[in-house]
Amino acid sequence: MRSDLIKINSTGEGISEALRQADAVAVYKKLPNKERLQLRLLCEEMMGMFRTLTGEVEAEFFIEDRDDTFELHLETLTKMDSKKRKDLLGASSSGRNEAVVGMTGRLRNVFEQLFEPASADSTKGVFVPGFGAPSAASAASWSLSEYRKSVKGDAQAWDELEKSVVASIADEIKVGIKGDHVEMIIYKKF
């Protein structure tokens, strides 16, 4: 089963519709109350991550159910490139993205970096250290389960992961890019 496609943007348009869609899917699939709340919470968190992205960004959201595994999809196209990112971060006194704090900040940062080609006229994915390299198909990706494995020995990163609402409820989160197309998928099996 696949839900309706909801168009959202960074000004908040469509976000209420996406939340109603999560509620409708939960009712249609006859999920118990706890699972309904978890599905809605994952949708809310996904919308919150999306709203923190900068610029004139539009995306499409839908939910797909495969054998009681729910996939929350958020897809977008963008023209952001690595030169723009570098110029913006160059204005910071530290040269770093200071907004990258906690699990949600790390995920948002990966999502932002993944949806920018190396240059405005490039269609190749960007290498994001620690989160996977572009494949032969010119796509980069990030996975929650791989991140969980990589931070087992890092107490601070593991603590951030454990405190993250999304990470504590979701079974998997994947972020990937191919050219200008970016997709985030949150997986939850009930």
Side-chain angles (χ1 to χ4, degrees):
M1 179 216 94
R2 182 175 167 161
S3 74
D4 294 336
L5 187 68
I6 308 293
K7 293 187 183 287
I8 62 170
N9 66 40
S10 58
T11 63
E13 187 176 327
I15 291 176
S16 295
E17 290 86 353
L19 295 173
R20 279 193 296 275
Q21 191 69 61
D23 292 338
V25 166
V27 168
Y28 178 77
K29 296 301 289 186
K30 299 177 182 167
L31 294 178
N33 193 45
K34 179 181 176 184
E35 293 173 357
R36 287 179 188 183
L37 291 173
Q38 287 179 337
L39 188 64
R40 182 179 172 97
L41 182 57
L42 287 171
C43 184
E44 287 174 357
E45 291 295 315
M46 181 179 247
M47 296 301 116
M49 284 185 269
F50 173 74
R51 289 184 73 166
T52 62
L53 300 176
T54 60
E56 297 298 319
V57 178
E58 294 182 348
E60 294 180 336
F61 170 82
F62 65 93
I63 300 173
E64 197 160 1
D65 168 41
R66 300 172 199 236
D67 300 321
D68 295 324
T69 297
F70 293 81
E71 301 174 7
L72 286 73
H73 292 254
L74 186 63
E75 300 180 30
T76 190
L77 294 174
T78 186
K79 293 294 180 189
M80 175 66 86
D81 61 52
S82 58
K83 183 183 179 329
K84 270 188 202 174
R85 175 181 280 279
K86 184 179 177 184
D87 290 346
L88 289 169
L89 293 178
S92 166
S93 57
S94 69
R96 293 186 325 221
N97 183 349
E98 300 297 332
V100 178
V101 177
M103 180 62 195
T104 301
R106 289 176 196 256
L107 185 57
R108 183 183 67 245
N109 188 52
V110 169
F111 192 76
E112 289 171 343
Q113 288 185 36
L114 283 176
F115 69 74
E116 63 192 38
S119 65
D121 55 14
S122 172
T123 59
K124 299 217 185 255
V126 176
F127 174 72
V128 182
F131 294 100
S135 70
S138 299
S141 65
W142 181 85
S143 164
L144 176 62
S145 60
E146 292 301 315
Y147 182 71
R148 280 181 174 143
K149 290 176 193 171
S150 73
V151 298
K152 284 232 184 211
D154 182 340
Q156 181 180 355
W158 187 257
D159 187 50
E160 289 171 356
L161 180 64
E162 290 297 309
K163 289 179 182 175
S164 168
V165 172
V166 173
S168 65
I169 297 174
D171 295 323
E172 175 69 289
I173 303 169
K174 292 186 177 180
V175 178
I177 183 170
K178 187 170 185 179
D180 288 344
H181 179 259
V182 179
E183 183 174 28
M184 175 189 290
I185 307 171
I186 297 178
Y187 298 85
K188 179 62 181 174
K189 183 169 181 71
F190 292 116

